[in-house]
Amino acid sequence: MRGRELTDMLNDVITGSIAELLGGCAVVVAVALVARARGRRRARRGTAQGGDGAATRPAARTYTLIGTRAPDGHLVLVASSRPAGTVITWQEPASDRRQQFELTDAVLSDGTFAAEPLDWYR
């Protein structure tokens, strides 16, 4: 009889513990979901209100390299997420000639941004 009493007691303990364990897991999941939602809301609010920009990746812009043509005669376009004022170097594909351009905030008629050659001003 002693063995049966012990088994019944262990079943009662395990049954009670399972309910508490499941309740604790539900609380942990609920807290994690609330924290994630608050973090997303803060990130969205910071971006929408012009936050410091550290949490968001800057959007890539397409720049037209002013005064430069590709070997096929088309304008040379460069995509960059760098801010205006950054100097980039472009190497002509057919030669070893390199040119430096400064990225600007000036919008051209085709919707791209202007990248002005620095060699023109030296």
Side-chain angles (χ1 to χ4, degrees):
M1 260 305 198
R2 183 119 166 109
R4 179 141 178 113
E5 290 173 6
L6 184 61
T7 304
D8 289 341
M9 186 174 68
L10 283 176
N11 282 338
D12 291 341
V13 170
I14 291 173
T15 304
S17 298
I18 289 175
E20 290 180 16
L21 177 68
L22 291 176
C25 288
V27 169
V28 168
V29 168
V31 168
L33 290 174
V34 168
R36 183 176 179 189
R38 290 181 82 192
R40 283 186 172 190
R41 182 186 291 175
R42 277 191 195 133
R44 253 189 261 133
R45 189 179 314 147
T47 302
Q49 294 177 352
D52 62 359
T56 59
R57 171 184 258 173
R61 293 179 169 181
T62 301
Y63 292 92
T64 299
L65 303 182
I66 303 294
T68 305
R69 297 276 180 176
D72 61 0
H74 289 88
L75 294 172
V76 177
L77 302 176
V78 175
S80 177
S81 61
R82 303 282 182 177
T86 302
V87 175
I88 62 169
T89 302
W90 180 75
Q91 182 173 351
E92 292 181 21
S95 69
D96 291 335
R97 183 172 173 235
R98 293 181 182 203
Q99 263 186 298
Q100 289 189 325
F101 292 85
E102 181 177 0
L103 306 180
T104 69
D105 282 330
V107 181
L108 301 175
S109 61
D110 63 355
T112 63
F113 292 84
E116 296 186 25
L118 293 178
D119 297 343
W120 285 3
Y121 304 110
R122 290 185 183 172

